Amino acid sequence: MNIRHPARNLSLALASALATDLEGVDDSLSAGEGASAPRRPQEDECNVVLFGQFWPAALLGVQAQVRMVEADTVVVCGPAGDACVYAAGRLLYRVAHPNRRFFLDLSAQAMAQPAAQAAYDGRDTPDLEAVDYELEGALARLCGAAQHLASEEALSAARVLREYVQRFEALAAA
């Protein structure tokens, strides 16, 4: 069953996020005025990602012969730091304080099911975030480059990585 309509689902998700789903933006600090009511986020203040992902058909209200269906997944990250996850134009969940696991899953284009979304909420320490992002970026670049290596060269790179794993384990044990 094909329920993919990328332009429509992106429009629906973004409109819903801007109108009600994302947290409002407090402009009182930047305006230098007294306390004011938060305003709605604007489109140009959000980051939006669209990709296909398989979701349970029942979750999307789809009557299908199969258990899982591919649907357009839209993730909208707002200026207040929160994020909303939509599938087939429906809000699945909102994450008030997305952590590194959220962004790693977003990069992998494999968001958690709504029942497991609590693992995404809660900021990591700044030091842990910096190490994880730097490490993930370096490993992703290395993995991409390794796809073009001969098997002996790839094994050599794997040995170096194992040595570093042992070093980090020793640091953790100390």
Side-chain angles (χ1 to χ4, degrees):
M1 163 169 240
N2 184 2
I3 58 170
R4 301 210 49 204
H5 303 282
R8 184 191 72 196
N9 289 327
L10 178 71
S11 295
L12 288 171
L14 186 56
S16 182
L18 296 174
T20 59
D21 299 337
L22 287 173
E23 189 174 318
V25 179
D26 182 11
D27 276 343
S28 63
L29 296 177
S30 63
E33 301 170 8
S36 62
R39 64 169 175 78
R40 296 304 312 148
Q42 298 173 0
E43 185 175 327
D44 63 345
E45 297 174 313
C46 297
N47 291 316
V48 182
V49 180
L50 166 71
F51 54 91
Q53 180 176 335
F54 283 89
W55 295 97
L59 178 69
L60 303 179
V62 174
Q63 300 298 323
Q65 298 296 327
V66 292
R67 197 172 65 83
M68 303 288 281
V69 294
E70 187 175 14
D72 298 316
T73 302
V74 178
V75 179
V76 182
C77 298
D82 57 337
C84 295
V85 177
Y86 302 84
R90 294 175 170 217
L91 176 65
L92 297 181
Y93 51 87
R94 178 181 169 274
V95 181
H97 303 287
N99 57 27
R100 73 188 185 304
R101 180 174 175 191
F102 174 88
F103 291 107
L104 292 173
D105 285 358
L106 179 59
S107 295
Q109 298 185 354
M111 302 308 295
Q113 300 293 320
Q117 63 99 15
Y120 287 155
D121 206 0
R123 298 266 190 230
D124 300 306
T125 65
D127 289 340
L128 181 60
E129 280 185 2
V131 167
D132 274 356
Y133 289 138
E134 185 65 30
L135 189 59
E136 285 287 333
L139 288 173
R141 288 188 297 277
L142 179 62
C143 191
Q147 293 177 12
H148 306 290
L149 295 177
S151 61
E152 283 184 29
E153 294 169 322
L155 286 173
S156 177
R159 278 192 292 276
V160 171
L161 288 171
R162 276 193 292 278
E163 289 174 13
Y164 274 95
V165 166
Q166 291 172 352
R167 289 181 187 180
F168 276 95
E169 287 174 341
L171 288 171

PDB file of all heavy atoms in Angstrom, residues 107-120:
ATOM      1  N   SER A 107      19.561  11.090  12.093  1.00  0.00           N
ATOM      2  CA  SER A 107      20.583  10.933  11.057  1.00  0.00           C
ATOM      3  C   SER A 107      20.470   9.584  10.364  1.00  0.00           C
ATOM      4  O   SER A 107      20.713   9.474   9.163  1.00  0.00           O
ATOM      5  CB  SER A 107      21.979  11.066  11.655  1.00  0.00           C
ATOM      6  OG  SER A 107      22.177  12.357  12.141  1.00  0.00           O
ATOM      7  N   ALA A 108      20.114   8.568  11.112  1.00  0.00           N
ATOM      8  CA  ALA A 108      19.958   7.225  10.556  1.00  0.00           C
ATOM      9  C   ALA A 108      18.614   7.043   9.848  1.00  0.00           C
ATOM     10  O   ALA A 108      18.363   6.002   9.256  1.00  0.00           O
ATOM     11  CB  ALA A 108      20.093   6.184  11.658  1.00  0.00           C
ATOM     12  N   GLN A 109      17.758   8.036   9.919  1.00  0.00           N
ATOM     13  CA  GLN A 109      16.402   7.991   9.351  1.00  0.00           C
ATOM     14  C   GLN A 109      15.631   6.779   9.882  1.00  0.00           C
ATOM     15  O   GLN A 109      15.020   6.028   9.135  1.00  0.00           O
ATOM     16  CB  GLN A 109      16.449   7.984   7.825  1.00  0.00           C
ATOM     17  CG  GLN A 109      17.070   9.234   7.270  1.00  0.00           C
ATOM     18  CD  GLN A 109      17.037   9.321   5.760  1.00  0.00           C
ATOM     19  OE1 GLN A 109      16.639   8.388   5.072  1.00  0.00           O
ATOM     20  NE2 GLN A 109      17.437  10.463   5.237  1.00  0.00           N
ATOM     21  N   ALA A 110      15.681   6.630  11.199  1.00  0.00           N
ATOM     22  CA  ALA A 110      15.004   5.518  11.868  1.00  0.00           C
ATOM     23  C   ALA A 110      14.521   5.990  13.239  1.00  0.00           C
ATOM     24  O   ALA A 110      15.147   5.705  14.257  1.00  0.00           O
ATOM     25  CB  ALA A 110      15.946   4.330  12.005  1.00  0.00           C
ATOM     26  N   MET A 111      13.415   6.708  13.261  1.00  0.00           N
ATOM     27  CA  MET A 111      12.894   7.244  14.514  1.00  0.00           C
ATOM     28  C   MET A 111      12.208   6.140  15.314  1.00  0.00           C
ATOM     29  O   MET A 111      11.664   5.184  14.761  1.00  0.00           O
ATOM     30  CB  MET A 111      11.911   8.385  14.240  1.00  0.00           C
ATOM     31  CG  MET A 111      12.510   9.538  13.441  1.00  0.00           C
ATOM     32  SD  MET A 111      14.051  10.207  14.083  1.00  0.00           S
ATOM     33  CE  MET A 111      13.522  10.888  15.644  1.00  0.00           C
ATOM     34  N   ALA A 112      12.240   6.294  16.638  1.00  0.00           N
ATOM     35  CA  ALA A 112      11.634   5.312  17.533  1.00  0.00           C
ATOM     36  C   ALA A 112      10.115   5.324  17.419  1.00  0.00           C
ATOM     37  O   ALA A 112       9.511   6.336  17.056  1.00  0.00           O
ATOM     38  CB  ALA A 112      12.034   5.614  18.977  1.00  0.00           C
ATOM     39  N   GLN A 113       9.534   4.189  17.734  1.00  0.00           N
ATOM     40  CA  GLN A 113       8.081   4.087  17.809  1.00  0.00           C
ATOM     41  C   GLN A 113       7.595   4.979  18.955  1.00  0.00           C
ATOM     42  O   GLN A 113       8.337   5.234  19.908  1.00  0.00           O
ATOM     43  CB  GLN A 113       7.663   2.639  18.077  1.00  0.00           C
ATOM     44  CG  GLN A 113       8.121   1.667  17.014  1.00  0.00           C
ATOM     45  CD  GLN A 113       7.430   1.898  15.686  1.00  0.00           C
ATOM     46  OE1 GLN A 113       6.244   2.170  15.620  1.00  0.00           O
ATOM     47  NE2 GLN A 113       8.189   1.789  14.611  1.00  0.00           N
ATOM     48  N   PRO A 114       6.363   5.451  18.909  1.00  0.00           N
ATOM     49  CA  PRO A 114       5.864   6.334  19.973  1.00  0.00           C
ATOM     50  C   PRO A 114       6.016   5.764  21.377  1.00  0.00           C
ATOM     51  O   PRO A 114       6.310   6.511  22.306  1.00  0.00           O
ATOM     52  CB  PRO A 114       4.393   6.523  19.598  1.00  0.00           C
ATOM     53  CG  PRO A 114       4.380   6.391  18.105  1.00  0.00           C
ATOM     54  CD  PRO A 114       5.396   5.326  17.812  1.00  0.00           C
ATOM     55  N   ALA A 115       5.868   4.472  21.553  1.00  0.00           N
ATOM     56  CA  ALA A 115       5.992   3.881  22.888  1.00  0.00           C
ATOM     57  C   ALA A 115       7.400   4.021  23.451  1.00  0.00           C
ATOM     58  O   ALA A 115       7.591   4.004  24.664  1.00  0.00           O
ATOM     59  CB  ALA A 115       5.595   2.409  22.841  1.00  0.00           C
ATOM     60  N   ALA A 116       8.393   4.170  22.581  1.00  0.00           N
ATOM     61  CA  ALA A 116       9.783   4.248  23.019  1.00  0.00           C
ATOM     62  C   ALA A 116      10.353   5.657  22.952  1.00  0.00           C
ATOM     63  O   ALA A 116      11.527   5.861  23.224  1.00  0.00           O
ATOM     64  CB  ALA A 116      10.636   3.316  22.166  1.00  0.00           C
ATOM     65  N   GLN A 117       9.537   6.635  22.636  1.00  0.00           N
ATOM     66  CA  GLN A 117      10.047   7.989  22.428  1.00  0.00           C
ATOM     67  C   GLN A 117      10.564   8.661  23.697  1.00  0.00           C
ATOM     68  O   GLN A 117      11.310   9.623  23.621  1.00  0.00           O
ATOM     69  CB  GLN A 117       9.003   8.869  21.741  1.00  0.00           C
ATOM     70  CG  GLN A 117       7.744   9.095  22.526  1.00  0.00           C
ATOM     71  CD  GLN A 117       7.735  10.419  23.255  1.00  0.00           C
ATOM     72  OE1 GLN A 117       8.521  11.310  22.987  1.00  0.00           O
ATOM     73  NE2 GLN A 117       6.835  10.543  24.196  1.00  0.00           N
ATOM     74  N   ALA A 118      10.229   8.147  24.871  1.00  0.00           N
ATOM     75  CA  ALA A 118      10.722   8.744  26.116  1.00  0.00           C
ATOM     76  C   ALA A 118      12.246   8.708  26.193  1.00  0.00           C
ATOM     77  O   ALA A 118      12.855   9.551  26.852  1.00  0.00           O
ATOM     78  CB  ALA A 118      10.123   8.025  27.323  1.00  0.00           C
ATOM     79  N   ALA A 119      12.878   7.777  25.497  1.00  0.00           N
ATOM     80  CA  ALA A 119      14.341   7.686  25.500  1.00  0.00           C
ATOM     81  C   ALA A 119      14.987   8.886  24.809  1.00  0.00           C
ATOM     82  O   ALA A 119      16.178   9.118  24.956  1.00  0.00           O
ATOM     83  CB  ALA A 119      14.775   6.401  24.812  1.00  0.00           C
ATOM     84  N   TYR A 120      14.206   9.652  24.061  1.00  0.00           N
ATOM     85  CA  TYR A 120      14.731  10.814  23.347  1.00  0.00           C
ATOM     86  C   TYR A 120      14.729  12.077  24.189  1.00  0.00           C
ATOM     87  O   TYR A 120      15.370  13.051  23.830  1.00  0.00           O
ATOM     88  CB  TYR A 120      13.865  11.112  22.121  1.00  0.00           C
ATOM     89  CG  TYR A 120      14.010  10.154  20.977  1.00  0.00           C
ATOM     90  CD1 TYR A 120      12.969   9.998  20.080  1.00  0.00           C
ATOM     91  CD2 TYR A 120      15.172   9.441  20.753  1.00  0.00           C
ATOM     92  CE1 TYR A 120      13.082   9.154  18.990  1.00  0.00           C
ATOM     93  CE2 TYR A 120      15.289   8.592  19.669  1.00  0.00           C
ATOM     94  CZ  TYR A 120      14.241   8.450  18.794  1.00  0.00           C
ATOM     95  OH  TYR A 120      14.364   7.627  17.712  1.00  0.00           O
TER      96      TYR A 120
END
